[in-house]
Amino acid sequence: QVQLVESGGGLVQPGGSLRLSCLVPRSIFSIGVMGWYRQAPGKQRDFIAMITPDGITNYVDSVKGRFAISRDNAENTVFLQMNSLKPEDTAVYYCNHRNIVNLRTYWGQGTQVTVSS
C-alpha cells in the first residue's frame, strides 16, 4: 500500500540542472531515513544521498558539491537537486525510505535522468 511517487527526471545537457521530487505518504515521512539511489544500464543500484529525519545528510563522493538532498516536512517530500550534471550521471534514479519504526524499506518507481548533448 505504500507508494513513493517520483517526478522530475528527463533529458538535460551537460552542465545543466534537474530537481527530482519524491512524494512520501505523510504517515511515514517523519519516521524514515530518506535516500536517493541510481542505477545505470548494466550496473548495480548505487547509493547517492540520504537525509535523516533531523536533517543529517550524507553523499557518495562522486556527487559531493553537485547534488543536494533536502526534505520538506510540510509537504512530505524529499528532493534531490542535481547541478553541474555530467553524462556519467545518466541513470534511473530511485527514491528510498527506510522506516525506523517498522524497519521496512520502500522504493519509488524510478525516474530516468539522461545527460547528453
Side-chain angles (χ1 to χ4, degrees), residues 38-110:
R38 67 186 180 187
Q39 186 170 16
K43 305 292 185 179
Q44 68 179 32
R45 188 175 299 184
D46 291 328
F47 166 81
I48 300 300
M50 57 145 282
I51 185 167
T52 67
D54 54 346
I56 299 173
T57 60
N58 189 37
Y59 301 90
V60 68
D61 286 346
S62 60
V63 308
K64 288 181 178 177
R66 299 190 299 122
F67 291 9
I69 188 171
S70 62
R71 58 195 298 156
D72 186 333
N73 293 334
E75 300 293 332
N76 47 283
T77 302
V78 63
F79 303 96
L80 184 67
Q81 178 67 46
M82 304 184 294
N83 300 321
S84 302
L85 283 162
K86 306 174 181 179
E88 50 263 45
D89 294 319
T90 296
V92 177
Y93 284 70
Y94 296 90
C95 180
N96 171 269
H97 170 94
R98 292 194 290 113
N99 194 290
I100 62 177
V101 175
N102 66 19
L103 305 183
R104 294 179 181 178
T105 298
Y106 304 101
W107 293 94
Q109 78 283 359

